[in-house]
Amino acid sequence: MTKILTVAADDEFAAACATALPEHGDIQLVSAASVEEAIEILERQTDIECVVSDHDLPNTNGIAFLEAVRARTPTLPFILFTTEGSEMVASRAISAGVTDYLIKERHKNQWEQLATLIRNAVRYYRDQSGIVNTEERAKTLLNAANDIIAVVRDGAVAYLNETGASYIHDAQDQTSTGSVSDFLVADDTTPIDDLLAAVQSGLETLDHRGGKLMTAEGTTVPVEITATRVTWTETPAVVLILRDVSEQEDQANELRLTNQVIDEAPIGITVADATQSNKPLIYANDKFHELTGYDEGDTLGQDFQFLQGENTNPGQIAEIRDAADAEESVAVELRNYRADGTEFWNRVTIAPITNDTGEVTHYVGFQEDVTERVEYEQMLRRFQRAVEAAGHAIYITDPDGVITYANPAFERITGYDSNEIVGQNPRVLKSGEMSTTYYDRLWATISRGHVWEEEIHDQKKSGELYYAHQTIAPLTRSNGDIEAYVAIQQDITDQKEDEFQLRQYERAIEGADELIAAIDHERRYLFANEAYRDFHDLGSESLSEMTLADAIGTETYETAEPNLERALDGEAVQYRMTRTRSHRSDRVFDIRYYPLTDDTGHVEGVVATMRDLTEQVEREQHLTSLDRMLRHNIQNELNLVLGHAQMIDDQAPDEIAELSTTIEESANRILEQANKEREIVELLSDPADPTHINLAEIVDAVVDQVLGEHPDAKISVEVPTDLQMLSIPEVQRAIEELVKNAVIHSDGRSPQVRITVTKHEATVEIQVADDGPGIPPSERRVIAGDSEIDDVTHSSGMGLWLVKRIVSRIDGDIQFRERDNRGSMVTLLLPFYDT
């Protein structure tokens, strides 16, 4: 049975030892969680044959514990079991007399290997325990130690190793009866003799207590004091271990200074552990916390990505990750997010830190808030893109007026390429249209640091003149000196031409005989021309303050209001109305309302035109009266002629009676022409309003009527059944006249007529084709308007005149064409308005 002492503060490791080691041999374990507890066990249980100690112990480490054990039992096997693989730790352990050294978890069979080390060490210890002089062995081991080791009994030094002698004595005398208090002082001012007496009596131990050592040269060396009770030459004593920590103190001071510098640095600084897979942060300075808004608790343990957010560029994150994988430095600027969720631009620089062997152990990161600079640069880039994309010509000159930059719009407007205009003076654009005084005022204004804004008439490279609205602004330095001039030219040539045309329109409208005005939705005037103002007795100064009802009167307004509503709804409206004025004659007007729309098609008001039809109406009335009188007289006279012709037919001999037939036919033709003339007069004097018609229904009605009167006729029809359009009702009368004309004037026993209706994009084409003798050329030329009516050329076809007047009323047309074999084709082209 081998009894061993395991010393470990890690409960998990201690439990693993207690479980695994007995499985590999006849081993009994005694456990301790601290050095104090371990020393007490070693003093009480003298049968312990091996110590297995973790390197990481509370308030000390395994090497200091090893030195204390060596002072008590120089040959007792001591195995150091640690996670650290530093060569420095291994060297110090070997110097302190460690039996063996094993790194945790480096070997898959570490427990078996540890059990083998224990067995071999205990076997050797048992074989040598009776051979080696314990005290001499202890001195040999203690002399090899790097720390100052002394054996103290009752406050006096009984033994001092070689390291201690080098500090305290000039000679190499290792024995001394001097008092420890002669060269050692504890930092807490407690007398060192009292502390050592308490240790010697077993009341306490000293672990890593600070103190000062006075050397033979008279200097003071900071030391770390460790003391434990031992038996030396069979009497109680104290092993005093003094470790020179001056270098550590220097390092600590340097570290404190470094930490102070880092904490007070103007940029954020972090340190990440490179040995862990997620590379967690183990340090962040104050500026980092100020920059990000995260406190230390929220920062440590996070990986470098925790500042990322929705708008962080994944490509930049990949760049950082690739550099970390390659163990290289990297610097990027990316969007990060503070603890409160606000964005900021962060310039992140990450660099690897290596140990003595070249292995990357940490990454140091530097974070700098560059939001203001990045946003300024972005603003400059946006400004540059805006200038490059601007539709206005922009150029920059130096203080002497030499062009240093011109944007693409300048090239497009003036015709000068950027490379040929740079270095020139803006006078190359002078057209000669501007006076010398203009340029004198311009330079006087901008040279004083003021902005110039005027129109200019310049000349392009091609010699073509153009108008521009020009703004020139000086750019000044902080001291007020002018650094450059920026000029912006807006090409207003089209605007000037529009203004010229507008002035022409204004003069035309003002000088027009028609009454023209416009109102808005509130029925307030937008404008009214002179003829309108004169008719309504309106003054131009007060026009904008008046409503339509104020100007034309309430009674007239009530008649006009329904038509205005239709126009404001987007409909073009036409109607006639008689307007009365006091002390003047009434006037009849053709009134038309047109919706006034903006660029988006929204109706903003109504434009009204009023054409005086008084004289025309009077002429129409005279014409209608004359028509009624003539038709009445002609009908009476022709009826008398027909009556006498009938009497001749009834009473006269046969050869004379035959002449009455010719008289009757001629009289009937005159009556028919008179009836058609009445229709034409009525159409001209009282035109019908457009309405919704179905062409298929109209054509069917015409065919039914003609076949009822001429059952021998053959009429074919090709008409779309769903063809709806907006037109006047007289279209049906025009189609009826063409079909009847084709049937009546046919010289065949069974007249053939074909009606075809074709819908085009903007017109409707109605064709009536027959197999008759055709329409005489002279008749067609008169109806088509190609010949004037005189004594030689005239038209006897009043029906075709009626058709011509109907299609002309709706802005249509009539065309004639002879067919290749026999007959003719009449085509009506009517404008198509969707219903």
Side-chain angles (χ1 to χ4, degrees):
M1 175 68 70
T2 303
K3 189 175 184 179
I4 67 172
L5 171 64
T6 60
V7 185
D10 185 349
D11 293 340
E12 184 177 349
F13 174 67
C17 289
T19 302
L21 288 176
E23 295 177 355
H24 293 82
D26 192 9
I27 297 174
Q28 178 186 355
L29 267 69
V30 179
S31 298
S34 67
V35 172
E36 296 89 338
E37 185 180 358
I39 295 297
E40 291 176 1
I41 291 173
L42 288 173
E43 288 183 355
R44 292 195 311 269
Q45 301 183 31
T46 58
D47 57 344
I48 290 177
E49 296 182 287
C50 184
V51 177
V52 177
S53 176
D54 195 353
H55 182 266
D56 298 320
L57 296 173
N59 301 321
T60 186
N61 55 48
I63 296 175
F65 174 47
L66 169 61
E67 292 172 339
V69 171
R70 282 288 168 264
R72 181 182 181 279
T73 54
T75 61
L76 181 65
F78 192 106
I79 298 174
L80 189 62
F81 203 12
T82 180
T83 56
E84 296 190 18
S86 169
E87 294 298 328
M88 182 179 297
V89 174
S91 175
R92 291 183 60 193
I94 293 171
S95 298
V98 74
T99 305
D100 223 321
Y101 180 86
L102 189 64
I103 299 176
K104 291 180 185 178
E105 300 177 355
R106 175 166 291 188
H107 307 284
K108 293 182 179 179
N109 56 346
Q110 65 175 358
W111 297 112
E112 181 180 350
Q113 185 176 5
L114 178 58
T116 300
L117 293 176
I118 293 171
R119 285 194 298 271
N120 293 339
V122 170
R123 184 183 304 112
Y124 183 80
Y125 172 68
R126 289 173 179 176
D127 292 342
Q128 298 295 322
S129 60
I131 301 173
V132 179
N133 181 283
T134 301
E135 185 173 345
E136 292 302 319
R137 170 65 175 164
K139 290 180 179 180
T140 300
L141 293 174
L142 294 177
N143 281 331
N146 293 322
D147 293 331
I148 302 169
I149 301 177
V151 178
V152 180
R153 184 183 291 114
D154 299 330
V157 178
Y159 168 78
L160 185 66
N161 70 348
E162 293 178 357
T163 302
S166 69
Y167 276 85
I168 300 170
H169 302 297
D170 293 332
Q172 295 298 316
D173 181 9
Q174 294 183 3
T175 61
S176 175
T177 57
S179 173
V180 175
S181 61
D182 293 339
F183 59 84
L184 183 63
V185 178
D187 284 345
D188 61 1
T189 70
T190 303
I192 192 65
D193 289 342
D194 293 346
L195 293 174
L196 296 180
V199 173
Q200 184 174 323
S201 65
L203 296 177
E204 65 174 295
T205 60
L206 298 180
D207 290 320
H208 295 77
R209 183 174 295 227
K212 297 291 188 295
L213 174 70
M214 277 67 74
T215 68
E217 289 83 8
T219 60
T220 301
V221 177
V223 293
E224 184 181 76
I225 304 171
T226 301
T228 185
R229 183 175 182 269
V230 297
T231 300
W232 184 265
T233 63
E234 300 181 356
T235 59
V238 174
V239 173
L240 179 63
I241 303 171
L242 304 178
R243 177 170 296 171
D244 184 351
V245 294
S246 56
E247 183 177 347
Q248 296 179 23
E249 192 169 275
D250 291 341
Q251 291 176 349
N253 290 333
E254 183 179 347
L255 180 60
R256 281 193 296 272
L257 178 60
T258 301
N259 288 341
Q260 183 179 359
V261 171
I262 290 176
D263 281 336
E264 296 178 0
I267 63 174
I269 300 176
T270 56
V271 178
D273 186 351
T275 63
Q276 299 189 46
S277 59
N278 65 333
K279 300 176 178 56
L281 298 181
I282 60 174
Y283 170 81
N285 72 341
D286 294 341
K287 186 63 178 180
F288 178 86
H289 296 138
E290 178 186 337
L291 171 64
T292 65
Y294 288 98
D295 56 29
E296 185 175 3
D298 295 327
T299 301
L300 300 186
Q302 297 276 8
D303 63 16
F304 74 93
Q305 302 183 71
F306 84 106
L307 296 179
Q308 296 173 24
E310 179 182 359
N311 294 325
T312 303
N313 188 339
Q316 294 172 319
I317 299 303
E319 186 178 352
I320 295 175
R321 188 179 297 110
D322 292 344
D325 292 342
E327 298 183 346
E328 297 175 347
S329 298
V330 65
V332 296
E333 290 181 358
L334 71 167
R335 277 192 179 96
N336 276 167
Y337 292 80
R338 296 185 175 89
D340 61 4
T342 58
E343 281 187 10
F344 72 101
W345 279 97
N346 192 6
R347 177 173 175 80
V348 179
T349 303
I350 297 178
I353 299 176
T354 60
N355 59 15
D356 295 338
T357 63
E359 179 185 6
V360 175
T361 59
H362 299 86
Y363 283 99
V364 61
F366 303 95
Q367 291 82 21
E368 181 181 3
D369 187 351
V370 294
T371 304
E372 185 175 349
R373 177 180 59 79
V374 171
E375 290 180 348
Y376 178 73
E377 291 174 352
Q378 289 177 339
M379 187 262 306
L380 287 180
R381 287 193 293 271
R382 287 194 297 268
F383 176 76
Q384 183 177 5
R385 288 196 298 268
V387 169
E388 292 291 322
H392 302 334
I394 300 175
Y395 65 91
I396 301 174
T397 75
D398 63 15
D400 296 325
V402 176
I403 296 175
T404 59
Y405 168 82
N407 74 337
F410 180 92
E411 299 177 358
R412 185 179 66 255
I413 292 173
T414 67
Y416 287 98
D417 291 338
S418 177
N419 57 3
E420 65 179 327
I421 198 64
V422 169
Q424 298 285 341
N425 189 285
R427 69 173 60 95
V428 299
L429 301 175
K430 291 178 69 172
S431 63
E433 298 293 324
M434 310 304 294
S435 67
T436 303
T437 304
Y438 175 92
Y439 293 107
D440 290 342
R441 288 192 300 111
L442 186 157
W443 280 106
T445 300
I446 63 177
S447 61
R448 291 196 304 268
H450 301 312
V451 176
W452 170 269
E453 187 173 3
E454 290 283 352
E455 290 183 3
I456 191 169
H457 204 181
D458 270 347
Q459 180 175 271
K460 300 180 181 182
K461 180 181 178 181
S462 63
E464 179 185 357
L465 301 185
Y466 71 97
Y467 287 96
H469 183 89
Q470 181 170 256
T471 301
I472 303 177
L475 301 180
T476 58
R477 298 186 179 93
S478 57
N479 61 3
D481 292 341
I482 294 176
E483 182 178 5
Y485 296 105
V486 177
I488 303 174
Q489 282 196 349
Q490 178 185 359
D491 188 348
I492 59 172
T493 305
D494 293 341
Q495 176 185 328
K496 299 293 285 187
E497 292 177 354
D498 291 343
E499 290 176 356
F500 175 76
Q501 292 182 355
L502 181 60
R503 287 193 296 271
Q504 295 290 89
Y505 292 150
E506 288 176 351
R507 286 194 290 269
I509 290 174
E510 282 296 309
D513 293 333
E514 292 186 350
L515 282 62
I516 303 173
I519 61 170
D520 60 16
H521 278 275
E522 303 299 325
R523 295 358 182 220
R524 294 191 177 277
Y525 283 98
L526 298 174
F527 69 84
N529 71 345
E530 184 178 0
Y532 187 97
R533 297 194 303 271
D534 288 346
F535 181 84
H536 293 93
D537 294 326
L538 302 177
S540 59
E541 298 81 7
S542 60
L543 185 66
S544 60
E545 300 176 0
M546 298 186 66
T547 64
L548 182 62
D550 296 334
I552 66 177
T554 303
E555 184 177 350
T556 304
Y557 177 76
E558 289 176 354
T559 303
E561 171 63 16
N563 297 299
L564 284 173
E565 288 292 340
R566 291 168 56 195
L568 288 170
D569 288 338
E571 182 181 350
V573 180
Q574 178 182 3
Y575 68 100
R576 283 189 182 185
M577 185 177 183
T578 300
R579 294 285 179 90
T580 61
R581 298 177 297 171
S582 60
H583 307 299
R584 284 184 285 181
S585 62
D586 295 345
R587 309 299 293 179
V588 179
F589 288 97
D590 174 71
I591 302 176
R592 304 192 183 196
Y593 293 155
Y594 302 98
L596 181 62
T597 60
D598 59 17
D599 294 337
T600 65
H602 174 70
V603 178
E604 294 183 324
V606 174
V607 176
T609 62
M610 301 173 60
R611 185 161 60 90
D612 193 339
L613 301 179
T614 306
E615 286 76 13
Q616 176 183 330
V617 170
E618 290 177 353
R619 287 195 299 271
E620 291 173 353
Q621 291 173 346
H622 294 160
L623 178 63
T624 302
S625 299
L626 180 62
D627 171 67
R628 285 197 298 268
M629 180 183 67
L630 289 176
R631 280 190 293 105
H632 176 75
N633 293 336
I634 289 173
Q635 286 179 344
N636 288 339
E637 295 297 328
L638 288 176
N639 287 331
L640 180 62
V641 169
L642 287 172
H644 285 80
Q646 183 65 43
M647 292 173 60
I648 294 173
D649 186 36
D650 293 338
Q651 301 175 12
D654 291 340
E655 63 273 12
I656 296 177
E658 290 179 359
L659 297 176
S660 67
T661 301
T662 302
I663 295 173
E664 289 178 358
E665 291 177 351
S666 178
N668 284 327
R669 285 196 299 272
I670 293 174
L671 285 173
E672 181 182 0
Q673 296 291 339
N675 288 331
K676 291 181 180 179
E677 180 269 342
R678 175 183 56 81
E679 289 187 69
I680 294 174
V681 172
E682 289 177 353
L683 177 68
L684 293 176
S685 60
D686 189 18
D689 293 328
T691 186
H692 302 302
I693 62 174
N694 185 309
L695 274 181
E697 295 177 357
I698 286 178
V699 171
D700 289 343
V702 169
V703 172
D704 290 343
Q705 179 181 351
V706 174
L707 289 177
E709 298 173 0
H710 305 278
D712 294 334
K714 305 295 182 182
I715 304 176
S716 61
V717 177
E718 296 180 16
V719 184
T721 57
D722 58 347
L723 183 52
Q724 302 277 343
M725 63 184 295
L726 187 67
S727 191
I728 59 176
E730 284 82 1
V731 169
Q732 180 172 346
R733 182 70 180 87
I735 298 173
E736 175 188 338
E737 188 64 36
L738 293 179
V739 175
K740 281 186 177 181
N741 190 68
V743 172
I744 292 173
H745 292 90
S746 175
D747 54 1
R749 298 184 58 184
S750 180
Q752 303 288 322
V753 180
R754 186 178 77 251
I755 306 172
T756 304
V757 178
T758 305
K759 166 67 175 64
H760 301 290
E761 182 176 359
T763 60
V764 173
E765 183 180 290
I766 304 173
Q767 292 181 344
V768 178
D770 61 49
D771 61 348
I775 301 173
S778 59
E779 187 90 6
R780 294 199 305 269
R781 285 194 298 272
V782 172
I783 298 301
D786 296 334
S787 297
E788 296 287 342
I789 298 177
D790 53 25
D791 294 338
V792 179
T793 61
H794 63 275
S795 172
S796 61
M798 190 66 71
L800 289 179
W801 267 94
L802 175 61
V803 175
K804 174 68 173 178
R805 299 284 74 78
I806 291 173
V807 296
S808 297
R809 174 64 63 183
I810 57 176
D811 199 22
D813 192 20
I814 183 171
Q815 298 176 353
F816 302 94
R817 182 169 65 85
E818 294 299 315
R819 302 178 68 185
D820 295 336
N821 46 10
R822 193 170 187 273
S824 62
M825 178 184 295
V826 182
T827 301
L828 303 182
L829 294 175
L830 309 182
F832 176 76
Y833 299 105
D834 198 351
T835 59

